[in-house]
Amino acid sequence: MSTVLSINALAKSYGPVKALKGVSFDVPTGSVFGILGPNGSGKTTLLGIIMDVLRANSGNYLWFGQPGSAEQRKKIGTLLETPNFYSYLSGTDNLKITQAISGRGTKSDIETVLKKVNLYDRRWSAFKSFSLGMKQRLAIGAALLGDPQVLVLDEPTNGLDPVGIAEIRQLITELKDKGHTIIMASHLLDEVEKVCTHAAILKLGELITTGLVEEILMDEDIVELSAADMQALITILKNMGKEIKFDEKTGTVQVIFPKGTAQMDELNRYCFNHGVALSQLVLRKKRLEARFFELTNN
Ligand code: ATP
């Protein structure tokens, strides 16, 4: 798979604050790539650097295999600075103004863009009559002028109502299907899980992990067990060669299995056959939120 963006050991400090501490990852062509992290983890700083708005202290990045140039910039649309739309003007007229000011694309692109962001039917309605989701879709439309291969979005659903959030997530998926690569920052695990194919997780300026969403955010089966003789239970479970944890709060032993592979009856039989009668045997699906919490709070 080819790479649209390659980030190599990027570091950035604001005085004593180390916002990025040497972050490296690649964004594959055609992906929806989520930069996931809690507030203050360095997402906006990273996007600012790759869009040439901020300068890194060290490290570098390559767009399409080359250092940034004006020619390559044209292949990248961004929503980092939200355009100022005029409330009394229509979607079409607002895009005409954005196009004229930015010089991206031509007037004839405007119809195509309005269709892409599903606003064509409302193209003559005043901006002020738009829902929050429609306003954000028009902003994404402005970023799509000139038909950039890549779109860079910072928290694209921030401040939207649930309907607007659903519209934008749907739109991002449609844009991916139309061949765009999308790089988006988000602090919402659920959003990245629903929308993104790949992700990089940041915590306090460091890369925690990167890769396919289904691999890095994989769910697990956790089985909680207890018995009158906990020591004997722990010993026989260890002998099974499984990863186990003792949870002091619940007084249970947890055995971790890959998603969908925990066989409760087998586990019960195994313990019984090894002389331990279980007083508790419960399957708990590990929620992705818990995994995210672990990844970012350790
Ligand atoms: P958020 O979602 O809150 O914007 P973020 O993950 O995008 O968070 P950044 O905005 O990149 O993170 O901030 C990373 C760190 O750098 C934070 O500690 C932040 O306070 C600090 N920081 C960001 N911009 C500046 C600045 N202009 N001056 C000083 N410190 C800054």
Side-chain angles (χ1 to χ4, degrees), residues 3-165:
T3 300
V4 290
L5 171 66
S6 200
I7 290 176
N8 182 29
L10 278 185
K12 168 80 182 169
S13 298
Y14 301 99
V17 179
K18 290 196 165 91
L20 290 177
K21 302 174 188 165
V23 171
S24 307
F25 59 82
D26 288 344
V27 176
T29 306
S31 61
V32 179
F33 195 99
I35 299 171
L36 176 64
N39 290 340
S41 53
K43 305 180 296 295
T44 304
T45 301
L46 183 72
L47 294 188
I49 292 171
I50 62 170
M51 292 313 299
D52 248 355
V53 179
L54 284 173
R55 196 175 283 275
N57 297 120
S58 57
N60 57 59
Y61 59 94
L62 301 174
W63 281 109
F64 312 101
Q66 287 161 27
S69 69
E71 206 40 51
Q72 284 163 2
R73 284 279 163 270
K74 288 187 190 151
K75 297 188 203 161
I76 308 158
T78 181
L79 245 192
L80 295 192
E81 293 142 53
T82 314
N84 271 327
F85 291 126
Y86 295 93
S87 60
Y88 288 90
L89 294 184
S90 66
T92 303
D93 287 339
N94 269 302
L95 284 189
K96 277 185 188 160
I97 291 171
T98 312
Q99 191 276 320
I101 293 173
S102 69
R104 283 182 293 110
T106 60
K107 283 218 166 74
S108 59
D109 290 339
I110 290 171
E111 273 203 1
T112 316
V113 159
L114 285 163
K115 284 181 187 159
K116 257 191 182 170
V117 299
N118 307 319
L119 283 175
Y120 190 71
D121 293 346
R122 294 290 302 274
R123 65 193 182 283
W124 298 116
S125 304
F127 180 73
K128 67 182 163 88
S129 73
F130 283 5
S131 68
L132 289 173
M134 290 165 76
K135 286 177 176 165
Q136 181 71 335
R137 281 192 273 144
L138 191 67
I140 293 177
L144 283 170
L145 286 166
D147 198 23
Q149 261 173 267
V150 183
L151 260 190
V152 177
L153 309 172
D154 193 2
E155 304 270 1
T157 62
N158 237 11
L160 298 184
D161 52 18
V163 177
I165 290 172

